[in-house]
């Protein structure tokens, strides 16, 4: 009978890869700081509304005369970059193939595809692969982490995916226009977020109606 | 400057672990076949309604005098096993900690916690970790793969997570009671599923209203 997977060997290699990622992320953070460029790492399940939020954010930022760039990660397709470009944002797509998360090395390569210098931008948004598990472990050199929780997903997700929510600076409860239709209990969800991620600010937003968008813009 | 991660070494170790998982999954499949036990691997994003679907399914199966067991995976909490036990199912929780997917070795251990012999059950359902990427690569010895796509997630998910949908025997479009509220385009979604997963049967279901549940029961 084959023996079960050997965690120590796997974890050691994982730790080495993470340490290498962290070192590169620290370099990127230095570069962003020098360019006075705030960088937001945007994380959530698939279909929580990351791209819709960025489209709406793009309109707000354009109206305010701010210039934002987006690096967007997906396993396949460049649909999101095309959507974001149509919303007036400068967008670069990373297609990861099999990889379930973005890494600092991917971000470093994507930066080359942005108009230089980085000082020309007021904000860099990184839309991660839709996944509430793996991307939590990978520092991309960001200044803030924004984790989306859609009201369609249920109030218990912070408890079930604690590593992700624990790493958040800001939790955005998205699609609040669907509150009534889904029966999502906001108080219950805020209680779970406060328990797992007491450090995180919490904001309620609807990209469809625009509720909460001005406040989110102000925060970023 | 640190060099980027070395994919070959990583992938070779990954391939070795996958081969070991496949060997154990083949053993489990043999055991399930001997016990004449159909096994369904249930996969989706977080919050697509896997547990709600199983609760509803439990009621249908109990009414039909069928005995079903569930093995349910989450990073943390045993909320789902408790929900499923309350719905009259025999449920065993696996908490994976950091692991973003179930593996055959975890299923093998969970089987020990089920009432023996396995012949006493008519159906075994395995609810995987909520993740549209990593669990696709891990065979659990199942006879069928059921992938859920919630109407709240958008029609493009089959194109963005092709490996997962390509591996499906059955795609269940869930939460169809929210079709009007979300503006989800069923025809568009079915077109994308047919493109990525032409082998898959497609079914529309609402665990809330019960629509499609009898048909799903019949299929399983």
């Amino acid at each position: 009978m084959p023996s079960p997977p050997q965690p120590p060997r796997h974890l050691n290699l994982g730790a080495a890869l993470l340490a290498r990622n962290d070192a590169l992320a620290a370099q990127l953070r230095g570069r962003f700081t020098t360019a006075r460029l705030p960088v937001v790492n945007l994380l959530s399940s698939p279909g929580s509304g990351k791209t819709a939020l960025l489209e709406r954010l793009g309109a707000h930022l354009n109206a305010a005369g701010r210039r934002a760039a987006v690096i967007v990660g997906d396993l396949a397709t460049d649909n999101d970059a095309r959507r974001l470009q149509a919303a007036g944002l400068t967008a670069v797509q990373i297609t990861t193939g099999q990889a379930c998360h973005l890494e600092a090395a991917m971000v470093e390569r994507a930066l080359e595809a942005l108009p230089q210098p980085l000082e020309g931008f007021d904000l860099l948004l990184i839309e991660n692969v839709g996944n509430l598990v793996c991307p939590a472990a990978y520092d991309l050199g960001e200044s803030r982490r924004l984790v989306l929780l859609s009201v369609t997903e249920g109030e218990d997700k912070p408890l079930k995916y604690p590593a992700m929510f624990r790493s958040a600076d800001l939790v955005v409860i998205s699609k609040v226009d669907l509150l009534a239709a889904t029966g999502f209990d906001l108080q219950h969800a805020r209680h779970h977020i406060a328990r797992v991620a007491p450090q995180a600010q919490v904001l309620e937003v609807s990209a469809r109606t625009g509720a909460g968008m001005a406040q989110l813009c102000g925060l970023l």
Side-chain angles (χ1 to χ4, degrees), chain A residues 113-193:
Chain A
L114 284 176
Q116 304 295 322
L118 291 178
E119 280 80 352
F121 291 101
D122 299 302
L123 182 63
L124 173 61
L125 299 146
I126 305 175
E127 182 184 336
N128 220 308
V129 175
N131 182 340
L132 272 186
V133 190
C134 318
Y138 289 84
D139 184 4
L140 304 180
E142 70 268 18
S143 24
R144 304 187 86 183
R145 275 196 186 194
L146 190 165
V147 177
L148 258 75
L149 167 63
S150 159
V151 303
T152 60
E153 292 168 36
E155 304 86 357
D156 59 347
K157 294 302 163 289
L159 304 182
K160 286 179 149 190
Y161 301 87
M164 178 61 80
F165 284 88
R166 212 177 283 134
S167 79
D169 299 297
L170 178 60
V171 174
V172 168
I173 302 179
S174 64
K175 305 194 189 181
V176 292
D177 55 290
L178 294 174
L179 269 176
T182 55
F184 184 87
D185 184 332
L186 269 177
Q187 224 180 336
H188 202 179
R190 279 183 171 269
H191 175 75
H192 290 330
I193 296 168

Side-chain angles (χ1 to χ4, degrees), chain A residues 29-49:
Chain A
R29 185 169 285 111
R31 201 167 145 192
F32 296 143
T33 305
T34 305
R36 296 175 183 276
L37 182 63
V39 180
V40 179
N41 186 358
L42 196 65
L43 305 124
S44 80
S45 296
S48 301

